[in-house]
Amino acid sequence: MILTDSLKKLLIETASQLKGAAKRKFMAQTVQGLGLGGQRLAQSELGWNRDTIRKGTRELKSGITCIDNMSAKGRYKAEEHLPNLLENIKNIVDSQSQTDPSFKSQRLYSRLSAAEVRKQLIEKFGYSDENLHTSETIRIKLNNLGYNLRRVKKVQPQKKFPQTDAIFEQLDIVNKDASEDKSVLRLSMDGKARVKIGSFDRGGKSRDGAKADDHDYNPKTTVTPYGIFLPEFDELFLYFTESKVTSDFIVDILEDFWLQEKHRFSDIQTLLINQDNGPQNSSRRTQFMKRIVEFAQKHQVNIRLAYYPPYHSKYNPIERTWAILENHWNGSILDEVETALKFASTMKWKGDHPVVKLVHKTYENGVKLTKKAMAQIEKQIERLTDSTHEVFPNLGNWFIDICCSKTKVI
């Protein structure tokens, strides 16, 4: 075989388009065709590696194909050297990451830079500066975990409450303690905006060519999704109501969840509930506090309420699930309540479908206790008024403990 310029170009291009065993076989057959000194000629004229040629020749003669193990090559990942690294990063960043308020993206936006995360890994988890990987490696791990550290103005809170940083610091402590304590179950609760039921265009895109009304006048009804999310188990429970979302509704769905699932958590003594400090579930909402105290006593489980600071509810883990739901039903027309429920039940969070229920009970706003009755409730709860924060030691509006063994509410 004479290697002309056109033949050399053809052989080189053909080999470059092949991979693995097929490439080695082609190279070996070519060398055989070149005859004596073919390996040296192929190396000098075609630029082929002689070790690869020899390997292909052995495979060709024996009829046995070697299986490449490319995934085992290269350096071990950082988490191979530091088994707890990813979990520790999540513990630091999770409570300070928010979802896109428009629910158009599933990415998370964090308040912390990679350098700051590395610094906190050293301070909080005892890593040494020499053994811990660089900030660039931490940045890659953050991206792989779904966190986006770019500052995006549209997802930054428009206001900042004076106690914001102090509340986030305490949330880090409370949530970390819960993840390490097997007797504590962490719940994240919140609701999505009301959804109009009818033949309305909600701004999504659909491929089925369905026609929708461009005005949302006179909907058949509206439904509000309210979720309970278990961050440790990545489990989602969705409750829909056509009624108003009130304090009684929130505690009722919490009770329904606990009655259905408590058999799985026989060792749980405390429920840690992450919420935003909304008007219906605020720690100063008298009816909510009455109902949550009654819940603790009835089911003999301690309750710890841990609220996110005002204007920062997007950091609550439950908020991340709404992007999945919004993208799932996208441009589909929700002309009936059953349609909305079906879409919710067929969405997937971390590969699993949520538990979906429709609450038929009607709730009314304006239910509240007298000052005297609320004073009795206050005796049965413990507010955090002595935190370690130097400037804001009183965080009693955002962190409340309810012990189930105290005197029953009358």
Side-chain angles (χ1 to χ4, degrees):
M1 182 187 296
I2 300 176
L3 290 176
T4 62
D5 290 342
S6 59
L7 180 58
K8 286 192 290 186
K9 181 179 179 182
L10 175 63
L11 293 174
I12 293 172
E13 289 181 354
T14 303
S16 66
Q17 294 175 11
L18 298 173
K19 302 292 182 183
K23 183 175 183 177
R24 294 193 297 270
K25 182 178 179 180
F26 172 75
M27 294 167 71
Q29 290 173 333
T30 302
V31 167
Q32 283 184 350
L34 291 174
L36 186 63
Q39 289 190 20
R40 183 179 294 114
L41 187 61
Q43 182 184 35
S44 61
E45 296 295 328
L46 304 177
W48 291 353
N49 185 283
R50 294 185 69 175
D51 290 335
T52 304
I53 296 172
R54 294 189 187 103
K55 184 176 180 181
T57 302
R58 289 194 296 269
E59 290 177 326
L60 193 62
K61 290 180 179 179
S62 66
I64 299 174
T65 301
C66 298
I67 303 299
D68 295 320
N69 187 17
M70 302 302 293
S71 61
K73 296 183 178 181
R75 280 189 286 179
Y76 289 110
K77 294 181 178 180
E79 53 267 32
E80 295 290 338
H81 301 288
L82 305 171
N84 297 324
L85 179 63
L86 297 184
E87 189 63 32
N88 292 338
I89 290 176
K90 290 178 67 177
N91 287 337
I92 291 173
V93 183
D94 199 51
S95 65
Q96 302 195 42
S97 298
Q98 68 178 45
T99 189
D100 181 357
S102 65
F103 305 126
K104 300 300 183 183
S105 170
Q106 298 172 27
R107 298 288 290 177
L108 303 175
Y109 299 93
S110 176
R111 309 166 74 240
L112 304 176
S113 67
E116 178 63 23
V117 172
R118 188 178 188 275
K119 178 182 176 182
Q120 293 194 25
L121 283 170
I122 296 173
E123 294 177 352
K124 295 184 178 182
F125 295 98
Y127 292 94
S128 65
D129 185 61
E130 296 78 14
N131 294 333
L132 188 59
H133 296 73
T134 63
S135 296
E136 175 62 17
T137 300
I138 301 300
R139 183 191 67 79
I140 293 173
K141 298 304 175 185
L142 286 164
N143 283 335
N144 292 341
L145 289 170
Y147 300 102
N148 191 330
L149 301 186
R150 291 184 303 169
R151 292 193 175 276
V152 183
K153 291 185 177 180
K154 69 177 182 179
V155 298
Q156 291 177 348
Q158 299 302 308
K159 300 179 182 180
K160 186 173 181 179
F161 202 67
Q163 291 94 327
T164 294
D165 290 336
I167 295 170
F168 271 117
E169 287 180 17
Q170 186 63 30
L171 277 169
D172 286 340
I173 296 172
V174 170
N175 291 339
K176 180 183 176 183
D177 289 346
S179 65
E180 297 174 351
D181 190 342
K182 298 302 181 183
S183 68
V184 179
L185 178 63
R186 182 185 174 197
L187 309 179
S188 172
M189 299 178 62
D190 199 8
K192 190 180 181 299
R194 296 185 72 85
V195 179
K196 293 182 172 66
I197 301 299
S199 300
F200 304 127
D201 173 16
R202 294 175 294 103
K205 296 180 180 179
S206 177
R207 297 177 182 271
D208 61 7
K211 294 183 178 180
D213 298 332
D214 59 357
H215 293 82
D216 55 359
Y217 301 135
N218 301 320
K220 293 181 180 179
T221 184
T222 58
V223 292
T224 303
Y226 206 96
I228 299 177
F229 178 59
L230 279 57
E232 182 181 354
F233 300 93
D234 275 324
E235 295 181 10
L236 178 62
F237 301 79
L238 296 179
Y239 292 84
F240 285 72
T241 179
E242 296 180 65
S243 181
K244 299 175 181 178
V245 173
T246 67
S247 302
D248 291 311
F249 167 79
I250 295 171
V251 179
D252 281 353
I253 66 170
L254 174 63
E255 185 167 29
D256 180 85
F257 160 80
W258 188 239
L259 288 173
Q260 297 298 319
E261 304 296 327
K262 67 178 181 180
H263 67 278
R264 299 167 47 197
F265 305 109
S266 56
D267 296 331
I268 296 299
Q269 300 176 9
T270 301
L271 296 181
L272 168 62
I273 303 178
N274 289 147
Q275 304 178 97
D276 64 335
N277 209 338
Q280 301 301 336
N281 60 344
S282 164
S283 69
R284 297 298 181 182
R285 170 66 68 171
T286 60
Q287 179 65 8
F288 177 75
M289 295 307 297
K290 171 180 180 290
R291 288 294 311 277
I292 203 71
V293 168
E294 291 175 342
F295 172 87
Q297 294 166 350
K298 178 179 178 180
H299 298 283
Q300 285 299 290
V301 59
N302 301 319
I303 300 292
R304 171 164 288 177
L305 302 177
Y307 293 93
Y308 282 84
Y311 317 113
H312 291 73
S313 62
K314 298 301 178 185
Y315 290 92
N316 198 353
I318 181 67
E319 294 286 344
R320 301 164 193 173
T321 66
W322 301 134
I324 303 293
L325 178 59
E326 192 66 34
N327 289 331
H328 182 61
W329 62 30
N330 195 15
S332 301
I333 296 176
L334 306 180
D335 53 351
E336 300 290 345
V337 173
E338 291 74 15
T339 306
L341 295 176
K342 182 178 180 181
F343 271 106
S345 62
T346 55
M347 68 170 271
K348 283 189 176 182
W349 173 262
K350 303 296 184 180
D352 294 322
H353 298 294
V355 175
V356 178
K357 292 186 178 181
L358 176 64
V359 178
H360 296 281
K361 186 175 178 180
T362 300
Y363 296 89
E364 293 185 4
N365 279 329
V367 180
K368 59 183 180 180
L369 275 63
T370 63
K371 290 184 178 180
K372 182 178 180 180
M374 186 58 188
Q376 294 299 315
I377 298 294
E378 289 288 344
K379 294 179 181 179
Q380 300 173 76
I381 66 177
E382 183 177 348
R383 296 182 181 272
L384 180 62
T385 57
D386 56 351
S387 77
T388 57
H389 197 276
E390 296 180 359
V391 182
F392 300 108
N394 185 354
L395 300 177
N397 284 344
W398 295 277
F399 299 93
I400 299 95
D401 285 337
I402 303 170
C403 182
C404 62
S405 61
K406 291 193 175 183
T407 308
K408 187 175 181 180
V409 182
I410 301 177

